[in-house]
Amino acid sequence: MPIPRVSSTPPHRSLTHENEASMTVENTVGLIVAVTLLVCPTIALIKPEKF
């Protein structure tokens, strides 16, 4: 009885168009949130009278 070989490479998973599109939307929303979280406190430090 032969011993099964273990492959060192992970199995190939092909991404469908749906998965790629949803990741793009998630990345875009995350980028907008990150920029907002950086810009708002920066403006509050520079011009505190506006807040």
Side-chain angles (χ1 to χ4, degrees), residues 1-25:
M1 177 181 249
I3 299 173
R5 294 184 182 185
V6 178
S7 175
S8 62
T9 59
H12 178 68
R13 293 183 184 176
S14 62
L15 295 175
T16 62
H17 185 64
E18 274 182 26
N19 290 341
E20 291 175 3
S22 67
M23 285 304 293
T24 302
V25 171

Side-chain angles (χ1 to χ4, degrees), residues 2 22 33 38-39 42 44 49:
S22 67
V33 170
L38 288 173
V39 169
T42 304
E49 62 274 3

